[in-house]
Amino acid sequence: MGAKNDRAAWLKGGGVKCSTAPAAADRPYRLVLLGAPGVGKGTQAELLCEQLGMCHLSTGDIFRAAKSLGEDERTPALEAALGYMRRGELVPDETVLNLVRERVACLQCGGGFLLDGFPRTVAQAEALAELTQREGLRLDAVLSYELPIERIVERLSGRRTCAQCKAVFHVTTRPSRVGGVCDHCGGRLLQREDDRPEAVRVRMEAYETSTAPLTDYYRAKGVLVTVPAEGAPDEIYRRTMIALNGKK
Ligand code: AP5
């Protein structure tokens, strides 16, 4: 596996090019990850992308990257999006869809893609179906991770994220080698603003109301793969690969 892709085209948008892009695969994977906030989608995305070579396209990461832009560089829509995110609410579909449409070239990446956190509403799923159809692409699978809510809250409260490369750790279940320092790039590990208890409650409600119905939507299309998210990340990864091999 080559150097980790910097995802510059996805995170920054516009005409920005990635400095290291995934190598073109003969049969690139094109996947969507579903699941409640904190179930472990980002952790599995990292493992899957390392092994299968596709690019990790997280809409949440676009918003978090926008926080480091100067105030004059943020559009009013992006500024408003950061407010929704801080409160744990979903960002309006139109804002999210504009960002994804601007980055449609990322869906054509030769290494494939793994969408994490998008789509999150049925309207977003319908827009993605239109985009993929127009681009001549097909989703291989939609992986839905499932875990009881008490276990999810434990995962969220101990999460620490690298301020620089966005790698995800957990204070007890996935600690970094040196406390507070990222294993990959040496960046500082921070707690996310939306992991405060009030914001977590709002995120769970938004998930139940708007995102959970997507499992029925994708089941009806025959692409849904349900993966129990109990156990260590490596076990869940192996379970995912077995489920995926049965699908592709
Ligand atoms: P987003 O960034 O997408 O966050 P999320 O869906 O809330 O998911 P998380 O990143 O919180 O959790 P995760 O499932 O990736 O878990 P992780 O692997 O980190 O969205 C954030 C916000 O952006 C939204 O609230 C919304 O405002 C906005 N937004 C984004 N996209 C949008 C869209 N399309 N439409 C509208 N709004 C949008 O794991 C959690 C912790 O558990 C970590 O510490 C990890 O180390 C640990 N862990 C993971 N797996 C295990 C395991 N197996 N055992 C023990 N610990 C584990």
Side-chain angles (χ1 to χ4, degrees), residues 36-43 58-60 63-64 84-85 88-91 96 117-118 120 124 155-156 158-160 168-170 173-174 192 194 203 229 231-233 236:
V39 73
K41 301 181 297 296
T43 303
S58 151
T59 37
F63 298 128
R64 282 182 286 276
Y84 286 104
M85 193 174 166
E89 294 164 22
L90 290 187
V91 174
V96 176
F118 175 84
R120 235 181 174 94
Q124 291 181 16
R155 288 185 182 180
L156 279 179
R159 170 165 57 191
R160 298 293 179 272
V168 177
F169 297 85
H170 189 279
T173 60
R174 215 183 183 212
R192 266 171 48 175
D194 60 349
R203 284 162 68 199
I236 301 165

Coordinates of all heavy atoms in Angstrom, one line a residue, residues 36-43 58-60 63-64 84-85 88-91 96 117-118 120 124 155-156 158-160 168-170 173-174 192 194 203 229 231-233 236, ligand 1:
A36 N -25.3 4.5 13.4 CA -25.5 5.6 14.3 C -24.2 6.4 14.6 O -23.1 5.8 14.4 CB -26.0 5.1 15.6
P37 N -24.2 7.6 15.0 CA -23.0 8.4 15.4 C -22.2 7.6 16.4 O -22.8 7.1 17.4 CB -23.5 9.7 16.0 CG -24.9 9.8 15.5 CD -25.4 8.4 15.2
G38 N -20.9 7.4 16.2 CA -20.1 6.7 17.2 C -20.1 5.2 17.1 O -19.4 4.6 17.9
V39 N -20.8 4.6 16.2 CA -20.8 3.2 16.1 C -19.5 2.6 15.7 O -19.2 1.4 15.9 CB -22.0 2.7 15.2 CG1 -21.7 2.9 13.7 CG2 -22.3 1.2 15.4
G40 N -18.7 3.4 15.0 CA -17.3 3.0 14.6 C -17.1 3.1 13.1 O -16.2 2.4 12.5
K41 N -17.9 3.9 12.4 CA -17.8 4.0 10.9 C -16.4 4.5 10.5 O -15.8 3.9 9.6 CB -18.9 4.9 10.3 CG -20.3 4.5 10.6 CD -21.3 5.4 10.0 CE -21.3 6.8 10.5 NZ -21.6 7.0 12.0
G42 N -16.0 5.6 11.2 CA -14.7 6.2 10.8 C -13.6 5.2 11.0 O -12.6 5.1 10.2
T43 N -13.6 4.4 12.1 CA -12.6 3.4 12.4 C -12.6 2.3 11.4 O -11.5 2.0 10.9 CB -12.9 2.8 13.8 OG1 -13.0 3.9 14.8 CG2 -11.9 1.8 14.3
S58 N -15.6 11.4 3.8 CA -16.5 11.7 4.9 C -17.0 13.2 4.8 O -16.2 14.1 4.7 CB -15.8 11.5 6.2 OG -16.3 12.3 7.3
T59 N -18.4 13.4 4.8 CA -18.9 14.7 4.8 C -18.6 15.5 6.1 O -18.3 16.7 6.1 CB -20.4 14.8 4.5 OG1 -21.0 13.7 5.1 CG2 -20.6 14.7 3.0
G60 N -18.6 14.7 7.2 CA -18.3 15.4 8.5 C -16.8 15.9 8.5 O -16.6 17.0 9.0
F63 N -16.7 19.4 6.9 CA -17.1 20.4 7.8 C -16.0 20.7 8.8 O -15.7 21.9 9.1 CB -18.4 20.1 8.5 CG -19.5 20.0 7.5 CD1 -20.4 18.9 7.5 CD2 -19.8 21.0 6.6 CE1 -21.4 18.7 6.6 CE2 -20.8 20.8 5.7 CZ -21.6 19.7 5.7
R64 N -15.4 19.6 9.4 CA -14.3 19.8 10.4 C -13.1 20.5 9.7 O -12.5 21.4 10.3 CB -13.9 18.5 11.0 CG -14.9 18.1 12.1 CD -14.5 16.8 12.8 NE -14.7 15.7 11.9 CZ -15.9 15.0 11.8 NH1 -16.9 15.4 12.4 NH2 -16.0 14.0 11.0
Y84 N -24.9 24.2 12.8 CA -25.7 22.9 12.9 C -24.9 21.8 13.6 O -25.4 21.1 14.4 CB -26.2 22.5 11.5 CG -27.3 23.3 10.9 CD1 -27.0 24.3 9.9 CD2 -28.6 23.2 11.4 CE1 -28.0 25.0 9.4 CE2 -29.6 24.0 10.8 CZ -29.3 24.9 9.8 OH -30.3 25.7 9.3
M85 N -23.7 21.7 13.1 CA -22.9 20.6 13.5 C -22.5 20.7 15.0 O -22.6 19.7 15.7 CB -21.6 20.6 12.7 CG -20.8 19.4 12.8 SD -19.4 19.6 11.6 CE -18.4 18.3 12.2
G88 N -25.2 19.4 17.0 CA -25.5 18.0 16.8 C -26.6 17.8 15.8 O -27.1 16.7 15.5
E89 N -27.1 18.9 15.1 CA -28.2 18.7 14.2 C -27.6 18.4 12.8 O -26.5 18.7 12.5 CB -28.9 20.1 14.0 CG -29.7 20.5 15.3 CD -30.1 22.0 15.3 OE1 -30.2 22.6 14.2 OE2 -30.3 22.5 16.4
L90 N -28.5 17.9 11.9 CA -28.1 17.6 10.5 C -27.9 19.0 9.8 O -28.7 19.9 10.0 CB -29.0 16.7 9.8 CG -29.1 15.3 10.2 CD1 -30.0 14.5 9.3 CD2 -27.8 14.6 10.3
V91 N -26.9 19.1 9.0 CA -26.8 20.2 8.1 C -27.8 20.1 7.0 O -28.1 19.0 6.6 CB -25.3 20.2 7.5 CG1 -25.2 21.3 6.5 CG2 -24.3 20.3 8.6
V96 N -25.3 20.2 2.0 CA -24.5 19.0 1.8 C -24.4 18.6 0.4 O -23.3 18.3 -0.2 CB -25.1 17.9 2.7 CG1 -24.4 16.6 2.5 CG2 -25.2 18.2 4.1
G117 N -21.0 8.9 6.3 CA -21.7 10.0 6.8 C -22.6 10.7 5.7 O -23.3 11.7 5.9
F118 N -22.5 10.2 4.5 CA -23.3 10.6 3.4 C -23.7 9.4 2.5 O -22.8 8.6 2.2 CB -22.6 11.6 2.5 CG -23.3 12.0 1.2 CD1 -24.3 13.0 1.3 CD2 -23.2 11.3 0.0 CE1 -25.0 13.4 0.2 CE2 -23.9 11.7 -1.1 CZ -24.8 12.7 -1.0
R120 N -27.4 10.8 4.4 CA -27.9 10.7 5.7 C -29.4 10.9 5.8 O -30.0 10.9 6.9 CB -27.2 11.8 6.5 CG -26.5 11.4 7.8 CD -25.9 12.6 8.4 NE -25.3 12.4 9.6 CZ -24.0 12.1 9.8 NH1 -23.2 12.1 8.8 NH2 -23.5 12.0 11.0
Q124 N -31.0 12.8 0.3 CA -29.5 12.7 -0.1 C -29.3 11.4 -0.8 O -28.5 11.4 -1.8 CB -28.6 12.8 1.2 CG -28.6 14.2 1.9 CD -27.7 14.2 3.1 OE1 -26.9 13.4 3.3 NE2 -27.9 15.2 3.9
R155 N -18.3 4.6 23.4 CA -17.3 4.8 22.3 C -17.2 6.3 22.1 O -16.0 6.8 21.9 CB -17.8 4.1 21.0 CG -17.6 2.6 21.1 CD -17.9 1.9 19.9 NE -17.8 0.4 20.1 CZ -18.0 -0.5 19.1 NH1 -18.3 -0.1 17.9 NH2 -17.9 -1.8 19.4
L156 N -18.3 7.0 22.1 CA -18.2 8.5 21.8 C -17.5 9.2 22.9 O -16.7 10.1 22.6 CB -19.6 9.0 21.6 CG -20.3 8.9 20.3 CD1 -21.7 9.5 20.3 CD2 -19.4 9.5 19.2
G158 N -15.1 8.4 24.9 CA -13.7 8.2 24.9 C -12.9 8.5 23.6 O -11.7 8.4 23.5
R159 N -13.7 9.0 22.6 CA -13.0 9.2 21.3 C -12.1 10.4 21.4 O -12.3 11.5 22.0 CB -14.1 9.5 20.3 CG -13.4 10.0 19.0 CD -14.3 9.9 17.8 NE -15.5 10.7 18.0 CZ -16.5 10.6 17.1 NH1 -16.5 9.7 16.1 NH2 -17.6 11.3 17.3
R160 N -10.9 10.3 20.7 CA -10.0 11.4 20.5 C -9.6 11.4 19.0 O -9.4 10.3 18.5 CB -8.7 11.3 21.4 CG -9.0 11.3 22.9 CD -9.5 12.6 23.4 NE -9.7 12.6 24.8 CZ -10.9 12.2 25.4 NH1 -11.9 11.8 24.7 NH2 -11.0 12.2 26.7
V168 N -8.6 8.4 14.1 CA -9.5 8.3 15.3 C -8.9 7.3 16.3 O -8.4 6.2 16.0 CB -10.9 7.8 14.9 CG1 -11.8 7.6 16.0 CG2 -11.5 8.8 13.9
F169 N -8.9 7.7 17.6 CA -8.4 6.8 18.7 C -9.5 6.8 19.8 O -10.5 7.5 19.7 CB -7.1 7.4 19.3 CG -6.0 7.5 18.3 CD1 -5.9 8.6 17.4 CD2 -5.1 6.5 18.2 CE1 -4.8 8.6 16.5 CE2 -4.0 6.5 17.3 CZ -3.9 7.6 16.4
H170 N -9.3 5.9 20.8 CA -10.2 5.9 21.9 C -9.3 5.7 23.2 O -8.3 4.9 23.2 CB -11.1 4.7 21.8 CG -12.2 4.7 22.9 ND1 -12.0 4.3 24.2 CD2 -13.5 5.2 22.8 CE1 -13.1 4.4 24.8 NE2 -14.0 5.0 24.0
T173 N -10.0 1.8 24.4 CA -10.0 0.7 23.5 C -9.1 0.8 22.3 O -8.8 -0.2 21.7 CB -11.5 0.5 22.9 OG1 -11.9 1.6 22.2 CG2 -12.4 0.1 24.0
R174 N -8.6 2.0 22.0 CA -7.7 2.2 20.9 C -6.8 3.4 21.2 O -6.8 4.4 20.5 CB -8.5 2.5 19.6 CG -7.9 1.9 18.4 CD -8.7 2.3 17.2 NE -8.2 1.6 16.0 CZ -8.2 2.2 14.8 NH1 -8.7 3.3 14.6 NH2 -7.7 1.5 13.8
R192 N -13.8 15.9 20.1 CA -14.7 16.6 19.2 C -15.7 17.4 20.0 O -16.3 17.0 20.9 CB -15.4 15.7 18.2 CG -14.6 15.5 16.9 CD -15.2 14.4 16.1 NE -16.6 14.4 15.8 CZ -17.2 13.6 15.0 NH1 -16.5 12.7 14.3 NH2 -18.5 13.6 14.9
D194 N -18.7 18.1 19.1 CA -20.1 17.5 19.1 C -20.1 16.2 19.9 O -21.1 15.5 19.8 CB -20.6 17.4 17.7 CG -19.8 16.5 16.8 OD1 -18.7 16.1 17.2 OD2 -20.3 16.2 15.7
R203 N -27.7 14.4 18.2 CA -27.3 13.6 17.0 C -28.0 12.2 17.0 O -28.4 11.7 15.9 CB -25.8 13.3 17.1 CG -25.0 14.5 16.8 CD -23.6 14.5 17.3 NE -22.7 13.5 16.7 CZ -21.6 13.0 17.2 NH1 -21.2 13.4 18.4 NH2 -20.9 12.1 16.5
A229 N -21.7 -4.6 15.1 CA -20.5 -3.8 15.4 C -20.0 -4.1 16.8 O -19.3 -3.3 17.4 CB -20.8 -2.3 15.2
G231 N -17.5 -6.0 19.5 CA -16.2 -6.6 19.5 C -15.1 -5.6 19.1 O -15.4 -4.4 18.9
A232 N -13.9 -6.0 18.9 CA -12.8 -5.1 18.6 C -12.8 -4.7 17.1 O -13.4 -5.4 16.3 CB -11.5 -5.9 18.9
P233 N -12.2 -3.6 16.8 CA -12.2 -3.1 15.4 C -11.8 -4.1 14.4 O -12.4 -4.3 13.4 CB -11.3 -1.9 15.5 CG -11.4 -1.3 16.9 CD -11.6 -2.5 17.7
I236 N -14.4 -6.7 13.7 CA -15.6 -6.1 12.9 C -15.1 -6.0 11.5 O -15.8 -6.2 10.5 CB -16.0 -4.7 13.5 CG1 -16.4 -4.9 14.9 CG2 -17.1 -4.1 12.7 CD1 -16.6 -3.7 15.7
Ligands
AP5_1 P1 -19.9 12.7 11.1 O1 -18.5 13.2 11.1 O2 -20.3 11.9 9.9 O3 -20.1 11.9 12.5 P2 -21.1 10.8 12.9 O4 -21.9 10.1 11.9 O5 -21.8 11.4 14.1 O6 -20.2 9.6 13.3 P3 -19.0 9.8 14.1 O7 -17.8 10.3 13.4 O8 -19.3 10.5 15.4 O9 -18.8 8.2 14.6 P4 -18.2 7.0 13.8 O10 -19.3 6.0 13.6 O11 -17.3 7.4 12.7 O12 -17.3 6.4 15.0 P5 -15.7 6.3 15.2 O13 -15.1 5.4 14.3 O14 -15.2 7.7 15.3 O15 -20.9 13.9 11.2 C1 -20.8 14.9 12.2 C2 -21.8 16.0 12.0 O16 -21.6 16.6 10.6 C3 -23.3 15.6 11.9 O17 -23.8 15.6 13.3 C4 -23.9 16.7 11.1 O18 -24.1 17.9 11.8 C5 -22.8 17.0 10.0 N1 -23.0 16.1 8.8 C6 -22.1 15.3 8.3 N2 -22.5 14.7 7.2 C7 -23.8 15.1 7.0 C8 -24.8 14.9 6.0 N3 -24.6 14.0 5.0 N4 -26.0 15.5 6.2 C9 -26.2 16.4 7.2 N5 -25.3 16.7 8.1 C10 -24.1 16.1 8.0 O19 -15.7 5.6 16.6 C11 -16.1 6.2 17.8 C12 -15.2 5.9 19.0 O20 -15.3 4.5 19.3 C13 -13.7 6.1 18.6 O21 -13.0 6.7 19.8 C14 -13.1 4.7 18.3 O22 -11.8 4.6 18.6 C15 -14.0 3.9 19.2 N6 -14.3 2.6 18.5 C16 -14.6 2.3 17.2 N7 -14.8 1.0 17.0 C17 -14.6 0.4 18.2 C18 -14.7 -0.9 18.7 N8 -15.0 -1.9 17.8 N9 -14.6 -1.2 20.0 C19 -14.3 -0.2 20.9 N10 -14.1 1.1 20.5 C20 -14.3 1.4 19.2

